Amino acid sequence: MALVMFDYDGVIVDSLEVFISRFSQACLENGFRGINEPKDVISLFEGNVYETMMSRGISEVAINDILKRYEILQGEQLTDLELFDGIGKALQRISEKHHVYVITSNLSGATKEILNRNGITCFEDVIGAEKEKSKIKKIHNTMALHPGISAYYVGDTKGDMIEGKHAGTQTIGVTWGWHTPQKINEGNPDFLVNSPEELADFLVKV
């Protein structure tokens, strides 16, 4: 048995269009004007999104305000979000052997709503940005619940790979999400998979 932690946006749910639209709006409404087009949003995820925003001059207080506004804006479009084909079945297969968690830069409530709406009930917990902004800390805290077993972090961005490695996990990059395979490889993932089925086949064997 291993511990497998999943990013949410770009791994489980196809949310890029909604995220770009609504997160950009929340940022602009709260004084962060570093986003002018989709590539500006995606570039935030080459590291920890919130650390990147703070390095560009936005305060933690403003980030919290952005998250509160984004929660409202995202809520208006939750019905537009769909899971990636095959991910539900893959998650079920993986959860039959391993401990599984969601660790995300998104908000826990919206994440749980989409998972529940799609019948995804296999996660032991969903740990979002309102609980802790650092994925590294969230990964460490989750690993502490399951000491002595192998840990994996599954993500779709360069930043996911960097944070997973810094936290001490083996990292698995997926190629169907927000970053291109070339960009994900800049984060030196331990493994790269091209479909949910391939992800499940790999993890049920570890």
Side-chain angles (χ1 to χ4, degrees):
M1 177 174 282
L3 168 63
V4 186
M5 295 162 281
F6 291 84
D7 183 36
Y8 169 70
D9 292 284
V11 174
I12 298 172
V13 68
D14 187 3
S15 57
L16 182 57
E17 185 176 336
V18 168
F19 185 89
I20 287 174
S21 170
R22 296 315 204 179
F23 193 74
S24 299
Q25 182 178 343
C27 286
L28 289 172
E29 289 180 7
N30 286 277
F32 181 54
R33 306 193 180 282
I35 296 175
N36 297 300
E37 51 187 296
K39 68 179 181 65
D40 297 327
V41 177
I42 296 172
S43 72
L44 295 174
F45 290 85
E46 293 191 28
N48 178 280
V49 57
Y50 303 115
E51 290 176 1
T52 301
M53 291 170 71
M54 284 188 280
S55 74
R56 297 183 186 180
I58 189 161
S59 70
E60 188 168 359
V61 171
I63 289 174
N64 288 335
D65 289 339
I66 287 169
L67 284 172
K68 290 175 184 175
R69 179 60 176 150
Y70 173 64
E71 184 171 22
I72 294 169
L73 295 171
Q74 179 184 224
E76 296 171 356
Q77 287 191 266
L78 286 183
T79 56
D80 298 335
L81 298 179
E82 295 184 355
L83 302 189
F84 287 105
D85 288 343
I87 194 65
K89 183 177 180 180
L91 291 171
Q92 185 59 44
R93 287 179 61 200
I94 294 163
S95 71
E96 289 170 359
K97 182 174 182 182
H98 303 303
H99 298 289
V100 293
Y101 288 76
V102 172
I103 293 181
T104 176
S105 298
N106 209 314
L107 298 154
S108 302
T111 301
K112 289 177 181 178
E113 183 174 340
I114 291 299
L115 294 174
N116 291 337
R117 183 180 296 167
N118 286 276
I120 308 296
T121 60
C122 57
F123 289 105
E124 296 182 31
D125 199 4
V126 174
I127 306 165
E130 79 287 351
K131 298 179 181 179
E132 167 61 57
K133 293 182 179 64
S134 168
K135 276 189 179 177
I136 294 172
K137 290 181 180 178
K138 289 186 282 194
I139 290 170
H140 279 162
N141 291 340
T142 306
M143 290 171 68
L145 299 174
H146 303 281
I149 62 174
S150 299
Y152 296 83
Y153 189 68
V154 183
D156 68 306
T157 67
K158 175 183 174 180
D160 288 336
M161 301 300 98
I162 292 171
E163 290 182 290
K165 281 186 175 294
H166 283 178
T169 74
Q170 296 185 69
T171 53
I172 304 174
V174 306
T175 61
W176 58 83
W178 291 13
H179 278 178
T180 65
Q182 293 76 16
K183 180 60 69 174
I184 296 171
N185 274 321
E186 292 178 10
N188 296 312
D190 295 296
F191 308 98
L192 199 65
V193 296
N194 297 305
S195 70
E197 293 79 11
E198 184 181 347
L199 175 65
D201 288 343
F202 171 77
L203 283 170
V204 297
K205 295 176 183 177
V206 301

